[in-house]
Amino acid sequence: MSPADFERTARPDGWWRSAVVYQIYPRSFQDSNGDGVGDIPGITSRLDYLAELGVDVLWLSPVYRSPQVDNGYDISDYHDVDPLFGTLADLDELIAAAHQRGLKLIMDLVVNHTSDQHPWFIESREPGSAKRDWYFWRPARPGHEPGTPGAEPDDAHAAFAPSAWTYDPRSGEYYLGIFSPGQPDLNWENPQVRHAVHAMMRWWIDRGVDGFRMDVINLISKPSALTSGEALDPSPAGFGQIANGPRLDEFLVEMNREVGLDAQNLLTVGEMPGATVEVARRVTDPARHELNMVFTFEHVNLDQVGWNKWELADLPLPRLKENLAQWQDGLAEAGWNSLYYDNHDQPRAVSRFGDDSAEHRVNSAKTLATVLHLHKGTPYIYQGEEFGMTNAPLTHIAHYLDVESLNYHARASAAGVEEDQILRSLARKGRDHARTPVQWDDTPYAGFTTDIPWMPVNPNYIEINAAAALRDPGSVFAHFQQLIRLRHSDEVVREGRFELLLSDHDQVWAFTRTLGDQVLLIVANCSSVPAELPVDSLPDLDRAELILGTHPDGTSAVLGPWESRVLRLAS
Ligand code: NOJ
């Protein structure tokens, strides 16, 4: 398609502005063949459940062929399904069955890096090969013997390994892997790399997918220090120094045009660690034809010190609500927000921001959802969040399977950090909490599998499971259904202007959404003790009609623990 054709046809209608997306982490969703690992036929078997929930789009975490160093975020073949998850035919069937139910399906696009087993990388390892420049290769640090400790080209750390550089004896050089040695970074400066990625994306669109969630997409344009062969900043683990490189917008515009993303009205969401609201506004401004929306990390980094996710910090409510409000304001005129607490990289929201005790779990899961889903943007639900799954009792290092957690444990232990302290951080922030199998019912292995699952089921599955939630009209699941319906039916939920109220209040999260003369007021007690509503600082509650709440009586001036109300104000 020529740039002129693109300009003529690229008029996205923004269907995704009214959509709710559901993320599936296939390995933990539903096993169909009894090998203990979730698979694609398992997902297909649960489509009716997802349709009942009412979501519009499914996002599949990677199911491509992969050595599974990082559970599929290390891809060795972009055009095939890993046998662990089934076959391409299974995936075609899933896409067709989803479409039959009116559900769209987006794939994870992992193109900042490949697996070290990808044929591109295998060829690149040959020093004179045509693909040498598809990755970043560098000689040892001057004055050092290649392959010896300290000879890495610079001191950059990887996210899941001590160094971002791995020595390859074949050429005596090092390659860059910002995540782990099994995930070498592609060199997007090379146009052949970009063309190959575009072709692969078109291939998936031809197979029927409706868009892409783009893994760490703001890392594809590397800082000029690196692309000009100089040293990387020593601490890319936080990504701040290497994110949002100089050619990011150019690469995204080119991708959009060459693949026809906007022209075909596909959903595009870019995962962007280190992206500021300014970057997001630029990238998601529809006039620029880059992406529909991005995943910010700012709100999920607030309970840590700086870039170090393992250094725990308290999170007072005002900081969280102010951060979300800042993104609402920043993208109010141009661009679009994605809304999430949970995904496969984050601990469970109800345990992290709510109260997962028996007394408060249900209401805190509902209230957190109310607050998030009433913000402006596209909400994302992570499997199990819709019925209030919690963190797991991971108390020993042997309970952890994730490459990130194991690497942190090894590094921190070597640095002399006390085991107790390491385990405390892991128990709060480890990614494995999100990866325990979905708790479908109270039968052995929670209905996830018939044999030992790849990761133990959270023992609370006897009480907390989808089947129990479906039977209970007052369940978290039923509340999510109502929130989704409200978004679909009410334009003010989709498009209304956001205004934060009571920004300093440390218990109550309150805001309005306004569209013309329609006004919604949302008040939520985000604490486990009652909260008096400062009625003098709120719009007139006498004029308010309760349209959705966690408690039946929506008129009292005191909110119960984790009570929330969505009120329509008379115009
Ligand atoms: C972000 C993904 O969400 C995460 O799971 C993965 O480890 C890294 N990117 C590397 O692909």
Side-chain angles (χ1 to χ4, degrees):
M1 185 183 302
S2 74
D5 283 345
F6 173 69
E7 278 309 321
R8 258 198 312 282
T9 54
R11 293 284 175 271
D13 68 8
W15 61 267
W16 32 266
R17 290 169 79 108
S18 58
V20 178
V21 184
Y22 185 95
Q23 183 192 353
I24 294 176
Y25 194 63
R27 128 187 310 270
S28 304
F29 190 67
Q30 176 67 65
D31 179 21
S32 74
N33 61 0
D35 67 355
V37 180
D39 49 41
I40 295 171
I43 300 171
T44 309
S45 74
R46 293 290 184 184
L47 286 178
D48 287 337
Y49 167 86
L50 298 168
E52 187 171 349
L53 177 59
V55 294
D56 306 280
V57 182
L58 309 179
W59 147 28
L60 283 198
S61 276
V63 291
Y64 311 91
R65 270 192 193 265
S66 159
Q68 305 289 326
V69 167
D70 186 16
N71 287 359
Y73 282 91
D74 50 316
I75 296 170
S76 56
D77 184 348
Y78 288 112
H79 297 96
D80 203 0
V81 165
D82 198 283
L84 200 57
F85 300 121
T87 63
L88 259 184
D90 292 333
L91 187 53
D92 289 341
E93 216 174 297
L94 169 62
I95 295 170
H99 286 169
Q100 265 164 25
R101 289 165 177 81
L103 293 165
K104 294 182 188 280
L105 186 141
I106 66 172
M107 296 290 277
D108 221 301
L109 181 80
V110 188
V111 290
N112 171 67
H113 46 271
T114 65
S115 159
D116 65 344
Q117 303 303 308
H118 194 289
W120 297 343
F121 185 73
I122 292 173
E123 190 180 333
S124 180
R125 292 177 74 164
E126 287 303 327
S129 86
K131 292 208 168 49
R132 186 67 172 174
D133 182 52
W134 282 41
Y135 296 83
F136 295 96
W137 291 96
R138 294 288 179 269
R141 197 180 301 228
H144 287 70
E145 180 65 23
T148 59
E152 295 81 16
D154 56 49
D155 295 329
H157 302 300
F160 311 148
S163 173
W165 296 100
T166 303
Y167 179 61
D168 188 17
R170 184 167 327 198
S171 61
E173 289 196 322
Y174 292 78
Y175 65 87
L176 180 72
I178 280 171
F179 287 93
S180 76
Q183 296 164 293
D185 282 59
L186 280 165
N187 176 12
W188 276 66
E189 300 292 318
N190 184 326
Q192 291 173 8
V193 168
R194 306 202 298 273
H195 296 161
V197 169
H198 302 157
M200 177 269 282
M201 292 172 76
R202 288 191 292 262
W203 187 89
W204 279 103
I205 294 166
D206 289 347
R207 272 204 119 79
V209 308
D210 302 292
F212 299 96
R213 173 269 185 188
M214 304 181 183
D215 192 66
V216 290
I217 201 68
N218 62 331
L219 306 189
I220 57 176
S221 166
K222 298 290 190 269
S224 29
L226 180 76
T227 53
S228 61
E230 292 159 29
L232 258 186
D233 184 276
S235 56
F239 300 124
Q241 315 295 331
I242 52 161
N244 317 316
R247 298 183 71 189
L248 175 64
D249 299 281
E250 175 197 336
F251 291 161
L252 292 176
V253 168
E254 179 190 57
M255 175 197 278
N256 195 324
R257 185 183 67 232
E258 294 303 314
V259 181
L261 294 171
D262 282 355
Q264 297 170 88
N265 231 332
L266 299 168
L267 189 157
T268 51
V269 50
E271 186 202 29
M272 294 205 171
T276 59
V277 72
E278 288 73 29
V279 171
R281 184 166 45 222
R282 209 172 66 224
V283 165
T284 67
D285 180 348
R288 296 173 59 96
H289 297 296
E290 297 187 32
L291 300 177
N292 300 154
M293 57 193 125
V294 307
F295 288 132
T296 167
F297 278 65
E298 285 190 358
H299 64 304
V300 291
N301 287 351
L302 291 174
D303 56 0
Q304 68 191 40
V305 178
W307 284 110
N308 183 357
K309 77 179 260 180
W310 307 112
E311 204 175 324
L312 306 176
D314 286 341
L315 174 52
L317 183 66
R319 285 198 74 202
L320 182 61
K321 56 189 184 183
E322 269 169 23
N323 181 268
L324 265 74
Q326 196 190 322
W327 280 74
Q328 294 284 300
D329 294 345
L331 302 186
E333 302 305 327
W336 190 250
N337 269 293
S338 66
L339 307 170
Y340 80 96
Y341 303 122
D342 267 350
N343 63 37
H344 64 291
D345 294 332
Q346 301 296 331
R348 292 280 177 183
V350 68
S351 303
R352 181 184 196 177
F353 303 119
D355 178 339
D356 64 7
S357 67
E359 193 183 350
H360 297 300
R361 181 187 67 88
V362 167
N363 280 332
S364 70
K366 287 181 183 178
T367 283
L368 288 173
T370 304
V371 165
L372 192 73
H373 284 239
L374 266 296
H375 275 68
K376 184 175 176 185
T378 299
Y380 286 73
I381 301 172
Y382 179 66
Q383 63 186 36
E385 185 182 359
E386 75 279 14
F387 58 90
M389 274 181 65
T390 67
N391 281 351
L394 307 175
T395 52
H396 190 274
I397 188 59
H399 297 153
Y400 291 88
L401 299 176
D402 175 33
V403 59
E404 181 188 52
S405 293
L406 298 178
N407 171 64
Y408 163 63
H409 182 264
R411 270 218 314 239
S413 301
V417 182
E418 293 283 331
E419 183 74 1
D420 274 4
Q421 190 184 326
I422 301 174
L423 289 175
R424 238 191 336 272
S425 295
L426 287 171
R428 281 265 294 274
K429 301 297 274 301
R431 306 195 296 182
D432 283 317
H433 288 298
R435 301 175 180 192
T436 60
V438 170
Q439 298 161 208
W440 293 106
D441 56 37
D442 62 1
T443 62
Y445 307 125
F448 163 71
T449 183
T450 50
D451 204 342
I452 297 177
W454 74 278
M455 171 142 207
V457 173
N458 189 323
N460 65 16
Y461 76 95
I462 303 284
E463 292 85 38
I464 304 173
N465 61 68
L470 283 167
R471 283 192 302 267
D472 173 8
S475 67
V476 178
F477 183 92
H479 193 78
F480 267 88
Q481 282 179 311
Q482 287 175 290
L483 288 169
I484 297 167
R485 262 187 244 127
L486 191 61
R487 173 164 293 270
H488 288 159
S489 65
D490 214 313
E491 210 189 347
V492 68
V493 176
R494 297 195 295 275
E495 301 292 343
R497 184 167 41 80
F498 175 95
E499 191 185 347
L500 184 66
L501 309 173
L502 312 178
S503 57
D504 295 332
H505 204 291
D506 55 14
Q507 280 176 284
V508 176
W509 201 332
F511 55 91
T512 52
R513 300 290 310 283
T514 307
L515 189 68
D517 58 1
Q518 298 179 59
V519 184
L520 295 181
L521 168 67
I522 291 85
V523 286
N525 177 3
C526 294
S527 79
S528 303
V529 292
E532 190 132 349
L533 276 174
V535 281
D536 294 344
S537 314
L538 291 171
D540 186 0
L541 292 178
D542 292 340
R543 299 189 297 125
E545 174 205 355
L546 181 70
I547 57 171
L548 182 56
T550 49
H551 294 51
D553 170 21
T555 54
S556 151
V558 177
L559 290 173
W562 294 105
E563 176 176 1
S564 52
R565 302 175 190 162
V566 181
L567 301 155
R568 197 183 300 283
L569 301 187
S571 47

